[in-house]
Amino acid sequence: MSGNINFFMLNSVQLISSSLEILDSHELINNSIPWFLMEASSFLRYQVRGFGSFRIWLCLLLLLVLQNCSLVLSDSPYLVGMGSYDITGPAADVNMMGYANTEQIASGIHFRLKSRAFIVAGPNGRRVVFVNLDACMASQLVNIKVLERLKARYGDLYNENNVAISGIHTHAGPGGYLQYVVYIVTSLGFVRQSFDVIVDGIEKSIVEAHNNLHPGKIYVNKGDLLDAGVNRSPSAYLNNPAEERSKYKYNVDKEMTLVKFVDDESGPVGSFNWFATHGTSMSRTNSLISGDNKGAAARFMEDWAEKNGLPKQTGVASSDDLGFLHMTSVLPRRVSTIIPEPDEITDDLMQLASSYEASGGRRLAGSNITRRIRSSQENNPKFVSAFCQSNCGDVSPNVLGTFCIDTHLPCDFNHSTCNGKNELCYGRGPGYPNEFESTRIIGNKQFLKAVDLFNSASEEIQGKIDYRHTYLDFSQLKVSVSTSTGGPQVVKTCPAAMGFAFAAGTTDGPGAFDFKQGDDKGNPFWRLVRNLLKTPGKEQVECQAPKPILLDTGEMKEPYDWAPAILPIQIIRIGQLVILCVPGEFTTMAGRRLRDAVKNVLISGSNGEFGTNIHVVLAGLTNTYSQYVTTFEEYQIQRYEGASTLYGPHTLSAYIQEFQKLATAMVENKEVPTNIQPPDMLEKQIGLLPGVMYDSTPPGVHFGDVSSDVAANSNFRKGTTVNATFYSACPRNDLLTEGTFALVEKLNGNDWIPVYDDDDWSLQFKWSRPSKFSPRSFATLEWTIPEDAASGVYRLRHSGASKPLIGSIKHFTGTSRAFAVR
């Protein structure tokens, strides 16, 4: 009998564990413990029906557990959870998203891309999810499919109302993951591999955040960051009313707003911040996958947190525990906790290095060897830091100004041209002419400011969780605006269209031919070309004026929609923090007007619920993408941003009107009905990018063999670069998600320990083919040795996957000759 009792007790414990997991997912966050006990007891009776007298023991044990839970829940007002996952897409053959440059094709990795998520659950039973993507922008189709997966996994717990997915606007990530034609033309249509890895990564980051939900506190802080962004369309900004401009010290927003998450047990577990600057430190000719300056900042801060022991693995954090956090002017690096202390270089060490030749390529049973250097720590809590995008529409990180590449003189102020040619005018980053250095500098500035705000954050977020969301048809939205005499007037937005200046590009990445910014006329030749695709009607021309229409995308429907019409708008509230989720790139002044309008509604209509210290941030490029939003005055100038404001001159007024409605509904505690839904066009997508046919090597050569090795008996000083080239295969065969194509290994006794991977700033993976259709390819690993790298013996390792003409994909690996680092 005792054996049966033990058996049933064991199953009872497992059952309670399972029950609590489900309850935590749906109900544990509620502040009413008696209500929760009632629900849990009911749930338990349902689960254990037929267990007889053991039901009593189960109920008693469950009540005991719940008592402990209530003690924990009472310590903090929220449950907080953080998660992240790799979303690095194809590192070969796929066009980069952002510059619309057909020649910008991915061919390696600068550092990996991630999806980072936080979940906050409040005492009112509501919860919100915010996801920040190292991607150019959010995608409507990606959102649809992520929400479908979340519904299948969690029911109605996470849905379109309380989930926001935002992009950092890097222009160095693989494209082809959006569903509208105009955004996937340069990628030769839809790229399923790009799409799938993003959807998978978002889901996994949210699941991780959900599983990490623990009682905790949230703090908010803000401060100015100078020299990380300049206005790239100052002539348009100057067309805003002088009285309005006089309210602001700068022609771009300099304020960073940071939210700090502190777990009651583990201490600080992450931070998200919003700051406006474009992800264009990496140029339109770069071919390495990169998170640009914001992705770099996130990488630096997560490395800094790891170096400072965050989050704590055991024990309870207190304010005293945070004293060791410090500012650093030295760029952090990824550090494995198993790297030994630095050794002095000796002749014996040099001799030891020379005894390790290149290993030669060998086949692998799987891709386990490609796991990254902290795979052994993957079950431990990790610090998640996201650098989110805001109203960056007219903000460039190329802060040295715009210059003509032929004369090195400043570009024309109004049109950003050089002797009438826009393609010669480029902005210069602070590391000019080195785009990697510019990316590092702008990323480091954001990182250092974030650490400062993180360390000094003292204002605790308090209050309920709330959200409002709706879909709107921006192609025909009625908008009430004021006339010049102050009276009301009803106008309409227009079907999407892009102006001639759109094709001129920006000073971050100029276009081609004879287009120029500030063009409100167009020219006869390009009108003729346009008319071959679609001639805009009179009503559309008048609606979009003074924009001369180059592409009437909103009325182009073959083979399917070229541009979106139905867009989401969303407000997320976490106490006194309010996040305005917008599906586009708002200019500086457009963002200011929207924030102020919503803030005024919340303060004036909340009966004191919102104080004057309310923090309203704008999250750009969120939930879908619909290009730019300028002010009415900026639209008249028709620079790139105005030409890319799709729905006509009253687009901003439409956003303000509809966000005010959402804010009013939030204040009055009313729901906002949605009568329309965006289209799901996954089944209509056309992809013309050919697949990988097969990979090959010369006779007698294996995948992973060294083509160009590190020189024999080499030793390198810190700050120098070492490289080796391997016979490789197309990276599209296996993205090695959460893995790596490149490793730096250090000799520790008789073992080779991985210390850097292709997610590190210092290590680059470059892939190339001898010719466009060649089945042969090469991988070059370049490691710039960090100044704080440990002295010792190292080698480079490349891993990948090859596809034979017949048969399945095979994984391989190989190493370089060893070398010494002084």
Side-chain angles (χ1 to χ4, degrees):
M1 184 66 179
S2 61
N4 288 335
I5 291 176
N6 290 336
F7 172 78
F8 280 115
M9 288 301 293
L10 177 61
N11 278 276
S12 300
V13 172
Q14 292 173 339
L15 178 61
I16 289 173
S17 176
S18 174
S19 302
L20 284 174
E21 181 179 350
I22 295 172
L23 289 167
D24 179 72
S25 300
H26 296 277
E27 311 296 352
L28 191 57
I29 62 170
N30 292 326
N31 63 341
S32 177
I33 295 300
W35 178 89
F36 174 72
L37 290 173
M38 180 181 67
E39 289 294 311
S41 181
S42 173
F43 180 87
L44 184 60
R45 286 197 299 271
Y46 171 79
Q47 291 287 333
V48 302
R49 188 175 295 134
F51 275 76
S53 62
F54 292 102
R55 187 187 314 169
I56 298 173
W57 291 102
L58 290 172
C59 289
L60 289 173
L61 184 56
L62 178 58
L63 288 171
L64 181 62
V65 172
L66 290 175
Q67 264 193 322
N68 292 331
C69 286
S70 68
L71 291 174
V72 175
L73 283 170
S74 66
D75 290 342
S76 296
Y78 303 111
L79 295 179
V80 298
M82 316 295 291
S84 65
Y85 204 81
D86 187 6
I87 59 168
T88 309
D93 301 333
V94 177
N95 184 251
M96 298 283 202
M97 181 63 193
Y99 286 116
N101 176 16
T102 57
E103 297 179 357
Q104 190 189 12
I105 305 298
S107 61
I109 297 175
H110 179 206
F111 57 88
R112 287 191 169 253
L113 310 180
K114 281 191 175 184
S115 169
R116 297 175 172 89
F118 75 72
I119 299 177
V120 177
N124 63 346
R126 291 197 160 198
R127 60 177 65 191
V128 292
V129 182
F130 191 92
V131 181
N132 192 58
L133 301 178
D134 287 345
C136 195
M137 66 281 290
S139 157
Q140 196 169 75
L141 187 58
V142 166
N143 268 44
I144 290 170
K145 297 307 175 185
V146 167
L147 292 172
E148 286 179 0
R149 292 193 183 189
L150 294 177
K151 184 174 180 62
R153 184 183 289 269
Y154 298 112
D156 294 329
L157 189 62
Y158 302 115
N159 53 67
E160 64 191 16
N161 296 311
N162 66 351
V163 175
I165 302 175
S166 185
I168 64 171
H169 209 38
T170 175
H171 286 42
Y177 63 94
L178 288 88
Q179 69 172 346
Y180 294 99
V181 173
V182 75
Y183 305 132
I184 56 176
V185 168
T186 57
S187 61
L188 300 180
F190 190 68
V191 181
R192 187 64 191 242
Q193 201 172 30
S194 292
F195 174 80
D196 284 342
V197 73
I198 294 175
V199 173
D200 291 344
I202 295 172
E203 180 191 21
K204 286 182 171 65
S205 67
I206 294 174
V207 169
E208 185 176 88
H210 174 89
N211 292 338
N212 285 335
L213 280 169
H214 294 106
K217 294 183 174 66
I218 310 171
Y219 299 87
V220 63
N221 201 2
K222 57 187 179 182
D224 284 351
L225 169 59
L226 306 180
D227 302 324
V230 296
N231 198 305
R232 68 184 187 187
S233 288
S235 60
Y237 180 87
L238 288 172
N239 206 45
N240 291 307
E243 181 182 0
E244 182 180 36
R245 287 187 281 112
S246 67
K247 298 177 183 178
Y248 304 98
K249 185 176 180 180
Y250 304 105
N251 62 1
V252 296
D253 282 343
K254 303 288 188 179
E255 188 173 77
M256 175 185 286
T257 300
L258 178 137
V259 179
K260 173 181 178 179
F261 300 93
V262 180
D263 186 294
D264 281 356
E265 293 188 3
S266 301
V269 291
S271 68
F272 276 53
N273 69 73
W274 289 265
F275 177 77
T277 193
H278 246 76
T280 49
S281 292
M282 301 296 289
S283 74
R284 69 192 297 273
T285 59
N286 163 64
S287 64
L288 299 184
I289 290 174
S290 173
D292 208 278
N293 58 69
K294 286 190 174 292
R299 173 67 58 254
F300 300 160
M301 190 155 184
E302 288 174 349
D303 294 347
W304 168 84
E306 181 180 334
K307 190 174 182 179
N308 284 281
L310 297 179
K312 294 178 65 177
Q313 302 303 309
T314 58
V316 179
S318 68
S319 58
D320 294 335
D321 293 327
L322 307 183
F324 68 91
L325 300 181
H326 58 276
M327 289 286 291
T328 174
S329 60
V330 178
L331 189 68
R333 66 180 179 95
R334 307 218 112 192
V335 181
S336 172
T337 57
I338 53 180
I339 299 176
E341 290 299 312
D343 303 307
E344 289 298 323
I345 201 78
T346 66
D347 291 339
D348 289 341
L349 204 56
M350 287 285 297
Q351 185 174 359
L352 179 62
S354 67
S355 67
Y356 288 91
E357 292 293 325
S359 67
R362 62 184 177 89
R363 292 289 185 189
L364 298 171
S367 60
N368 287 341
I369 199 169
T370 68
R371 297 306 98 182
R372 293 213 295 267
I373 62 177
R374 266 171 309 286
S375 59
S376 61
Q377 304 174 24
E378 61 187 5
N379 293 325
N380 292 327
K382 59 185 177 184
F383 190 92
V384 177
S385 180
F387 286 69
C388 310
Q389 196 54 269
S390 191
N391 51 323
C392 67
D394 53 358
V395 187
S396 170
N398 297 311
V399 295
L400 297 187
T402 59
F403 297 88
C404 300
I405 59 175
D406 55 347
T407 65
H408 302 288
L409 296 174
C411 304
D412 174 79
F413 181 78
N414 290 318
H415 301 289
S416 297
T417 55
C418 301
N419 294 320
K421 296 182 178 181
N422 76 292
E423 57 264 42
L424 299 178
C425 177
Y426 279 86
R428 292 181 180 176
Y432 174 83
N434 186 329
E435 62 188 304
F436 295 98
E437 181 63 7
S438 291
T439 302
R440 186 197 68 79
I441 292 172
I442 298 297
N444 200 46
K445 285 178 179 291
Q446 293 176 76
F447 154 65
L448 292 175
K449 187 62 185 180
V451 170
D452 176 45
L453 295 176
F454 183 88
N455 284 341
S456 59
S458 60
E459 180 185 338
E460 185 175 351
I461 287 182
Q462 296 177 326
K464 67 180 182 180
I465 304 295
D466 207 355
Y467 42 80
R468 292 296 184 274
H469 173 284
T470 192
Y471 290 110
L472 301 165
D473 185 349
F474 265 76
S475 69
Q476 51 182 356
L477 201 60
K478 291 183 179 179
V479 186
S480 179
V481 298
S482 298
T483 64
S484 57
T485 59
Q489 178 187 8
V490 176
V491 295
K492 288 179 65 177
T493 56
C494 326
M498 297 189 292
F500 275 68
F502 158 79
T506 71
T507 55
D508 292 333
F513 306 107
D514 54 349
F515 295 102
K516 65 180 180 180
Q517 296 196 67
D519 183 0
D520 60 359
K521 300 290 191 298
N523 69 60
F525 173 76
W526 289 111
R527 289 182 192 276
L528 180 63
V529 174
R530 172 202 68 188
N531 292 344
L532 295 176
L533 293 172
K534 174 71 172 66
T535 303
K538 180 182 178 182
E539 183 178 355
Q540 173 75 325
V541 170
E542 292 176 349
C543 186
Q544 291 280 352
K547 177 197 295 176
I549 298 173
L550 177 64
L551 289 173
D552 191 14
T553 53
E555 299 181 317
M556 297 167 70
K557 305 294 183 182
E558 298 296 334
Y560 43 88
D561 292 356
W562 279 55
I566 299 173
L567 302 178
I569 62 170
Q570 182 182 35
I571 299 179
I572 288 176
R573 177 193 177 184
I574 307 171
Q576 66 267 37
L577 174 71
V578 176
I579 306 171
L580 310 182
C581 302
V582 298
E585 303 175 61
F586 279 55
T587 61
T588 298
M589 193 64 83
R592 289 168 175 171
R593 289 185 189 178
L594 179 61
R595 287 198 305 261
D596 288 347
V598 172
K599 186 174 183 178
N600 289 336
V601 170
L602 295 177
I603 292 176
S604 62
S606 63
N607 295 320
E609 183 179 351
F610 287 96
T612 56
N613 70 330
I614 180 175
H615 305 281
V616 181
V617 298
L618 187 147
L621 305 117
T622 302
N623 294 329
T624 190
Y625 184 62
S626 59
Q627 294 174 247
Y628 285 74
V629 180
T630 65
T631 66
F632 178 86
E633 294 82 0
E634 290 166 348
Y635 187 90
Q636 308 306 307
I637 303 301
Q638 280 299 294
R639 282 183 63 89
Y640 174 83
E641 295 80 14
S644 303
T645 297
L646 295 184
Y647 308 103
H650 303 294
T651 300
L652 175 60
S653 296
Y655 273 105
I656 291 174
Q657 171 183 283
E658 299 303 319
F659 265 99
Q660 286 176 322
K661 291 179 182 178
L662 285 191
T664 300
M666 180 173 284
V667 167
E668 297 177 353
N669 200 27
K670 294 180 179 178
E671 296 302 316
V672 179
T674 296
N675 300 318
I676 55 177
Q677 291 287 325
D680 177 350
M681 299 191 294
L682 181 59
E683 299 305 318
K684 295 182 179 181
Q685 295 301 309
I686 298 172
L688 302 179
L689 179 70
V692 179
M693 296 300 293
Y694 69 100
D695 299 289
S696 70
T697 58
V701 175
H702 300 96
F703 291 106
D705 282 355
V706 175
S707 168
S708 176
D709 206 351
V710 179
N713 302 312
S714 294
N715 67 87
F716 295 87
R717 294 191 178 276
K718 296 166 187 179
T720 61
T721 300
V722 57
N723 60 70
T725 300
F726 299 81
Y727 289 96
S728 190
C730 185
R732 292 164 61 198
N733 294 326
D734 187 336
L735 303 182
L736 300 185
T737 302
E738 287 290 305
T740 183
F741 291 99
L743 275 175
V744 175
E745 298 177 328
K746 184 178 186 293
L747 187 63
N748 182 29
N750 294 320
D751 299 320
W752 288 98
I753 307 300
V755 289
Y756 299 90
D757 62 19
D758 66 12
D759 199 21
D760 278 286
W761 181 268
S762 64
L763 180 60
Q764 294 184 5
F765 162 63
K766 299 181 177 181
W767 182 83
S768 63
R769 283 192 183 103
S771 60
K772 186 173 183 178
F773 298 106
S774 173
R776 296 181 184 176
S777 62
F778 298 91
T780 298
L781 276 54
E782 290 187 0
W783 182 41
T784 301
I785 304 169
E787 293 294 338
D788 59 349
S791 299
V793 176
Y794 291 82
R795 69 181 183 184
L796 304 179
R797 177 184 291 277
H798 168 53
S799 300
S802 63
K803 180 180 180 181
L805 188 59
I806 300 174
S808 60
I809 289 173
K810 307 290 185 182
H811 291 86
F812 64 86
T813 190
T815 67
S816 72
R817 178 184 288 120
F819 53 92
V821 171
R822 293 184 180 274

